Amino acid sequence: MHRIYLELGPKKVFACSLDWPGWCRVDKTEELAIGRLADYAPRYRVIAERAGLDFVPGEPVVVEWVKGTSTTDFGAPDAQPAADSEPVDPATAARDVALLRAAWALFDETAAVTPEELRKGPRGGGRDRSKMVDHVTEAERAYARKLGVRRPPFTSVADRDAMREELAAVLLEGRSVAWSSRYACRRVAWHVIDHLWEMEDRRSFS
């Protein structure tokens, strides 16, 4: 069984995997969101395999519905399911962090081979590569504060990596502050993966 939960915003719905951090997709209805989540399974498989895990999620089963917010409609998950308050055993925490590390590695590798200028969206929007990388980095710094990890603005990749190591250590401990550790891992991983896939979709090579 593949446990998922649905975050219901006023206009949009997120379908999120409880056991595969970062595998979350949004659409206009519950059915469409679940279908979109399934459509992205092959892309998530790349992350799972990079983490050294067999990716056999099974059929999705909705185990929880949570109320979303305007942030949900904006396109970001914003509600913690009750399931995330369950105790996290060391093996699960290690597995979650391995998936997060895989997402970080794939994002960095993709950014390194992606042109600076990316194809624009249908209305001419979207960040180019450097701004997207900066956005992901600064968002991680904000997310880390939800677990008590506080770092000044980064001045180097080494600063960012030090923050990631501290964040990973907190997640391995299963520490919860403003966010539960499982929700924090899912939210951080989702943001990295969402922009990883955006970068892949919008880049163009001659």
Side-chain angles (χ1 to χ4, degrees), residues 5 11 15 24 36 41-42 44 46 50-51 61 70 84 91 95-96 111 114 124-125 142 151 168 175 201:
Y5 70 92
K11 297 179 180 178
C24 302
R36 186 172 292 274
Y44 193 89
V46 175
R50 180 61 175 267
V61 176
S70 58
D84 282 348
R95 177 182 175 278
D96 287 353
T114 295
R151 293 273 176 160
R175 187 194 311 172
D201 292 342

Side-chain angles (χ1 to χ4, degrees), residues 32-101:
L32 290 173
I34 294 171
R36 186 172 292 274
L37 187 74
D39 290 344
Y40 275 75
R43 298 180 79 168
Y44 193 89
R45 180 184 302 277
V46 175
I47 297 161
E49 290 178 348
R50 180 61 175 267
L53 299 172
D54 292 331
F55 184 65
V56 188
E59 288 298 313
V61 176
V62 180
V63 298
E64 190 173 345
W65 287 259
V66 296
K67 184 178 180 180
T69 66
S70 58
T71 300
T72 313
D73 285 354
F74 180 73
D78 194 41
Q80 298 186 58
D84 282 348
S85 63
E86 299 170 359
V88 181
D89 61 82
T92 299
R95 177 182 175 278
D96 287 353
V97 170
L99 288 161
L100 176 58
R101 289 187 185 279

Side-chain angles (χ1 to χ4, degrees), residues 170-189:
V170 170
L171 293 171
L172 287 169
E173 292 172 7
R175 187 194 311 172
S176 297
V177 186
W179 284 352
S180 70
S181 61
R182 288 218 85 185
Y183 178 77
C185 190
R186 183 182 309 112
R187 181 65 183 268
V188 174

Side-chain angles (χ1 to χ4, degrees), residues 2-13:
H2 175 209
R3 301 187 306 155
I4 69 172
Y5 70 92
L6 299 179
E7 180 178 318
L8 310 178
K11 297 179 180 178
K12 292 185 179 180
V13 178

